Amino acid sequence: MNKKTYYISIHSNEIREVSIPDSDKEYEILATPENIKEIEILMRKQEQSSGDAVEYLAKPFHELGADEKRAEYDSSLKEIYKKIYELGTEKTREEIRHIGPLN
């Protein structure tokens, strides 16, 4: 299947076919539609994990389960970075190596 160029913004959970100058940090990847569906699933999972983790931040002194929720969030974010690294251009891979989320 033919791969196309996409731009991924993790912070805004966006996948675009066109780069937007001066937008959130975006990563360039070469992907098939199936790869994009995988990333969308990972982003939904991360968004859910984020909501769960934030729920604990809003409850002072309610730490029971908070570490688990934070670990789920970190894990889901790493999965996204791993997929982007796998599909990324050399520049994207270099940027991910530089910020170090996969270490």
Side-chain angles (χ1 to χ4, degrees):
M1 187 156 251
N2 292 336
K3 291 185 176 186
K4 292 173 45 178
T5 300
Y6 294 91
Y7 299 89
I8 310 279
S9 174
I10 294 175
H11 297 293
S12 60
N13 282 344
E14 290 182 286
I15 302 172
R16 298 182 293 274
E17 292 185 35
V18 177
S19 178
I20 299 177
D22 299 327
S23 66
D24 288 338
K25 177 66 184 156
E26 59 185 21
Y27 298 98
E28 183 178 4
I29 65 169
L30 298 171
T32 64
E34 288 78 20
N35 296 139
I36 295 303
K37 286 179 185 176
E38 290 175 45
I39 294 172
E40 288 171 339
I41 290 168
L42 292 172
M43 286 181 152
R44 280 195 297 274
K45 180 180 173 186
Q46 186 268 337
E47 194 171 6
Q48 178 62 46
S49 296
S50 174
D52 291 346
V54 168
E55 183 179 316
Y56 281 94
L57 292 175
K59 297 177 182 176
F61 310 109
H62 193 259
E63 286 294 311
L64 185 60
D67 289 341
E68 181 181 319
K69 295 298 181 185
R70 289 181 193 122
E72 286 175 19
Y73 173 79
D74 290 347
S75 176
S76 64
L77 197 55
K78 282 184 180 182
E79 287 181 56
I80 294 171
Y81 275 108
K82 184 177 177 182
K83 193 66 174 175
I84 291 171
Y85 184 87
E86 176 186 312
L87 300 170
T89 62
E90 188 53 43
K91 180 182 177 195
T92 292
R93 290 178 180 185
E94 179 59 34
E95 289 175 3
I96 291 174
R97 281 192 296 266
H98 178 72
I99 61 171
L102 301 179
N103 297 339

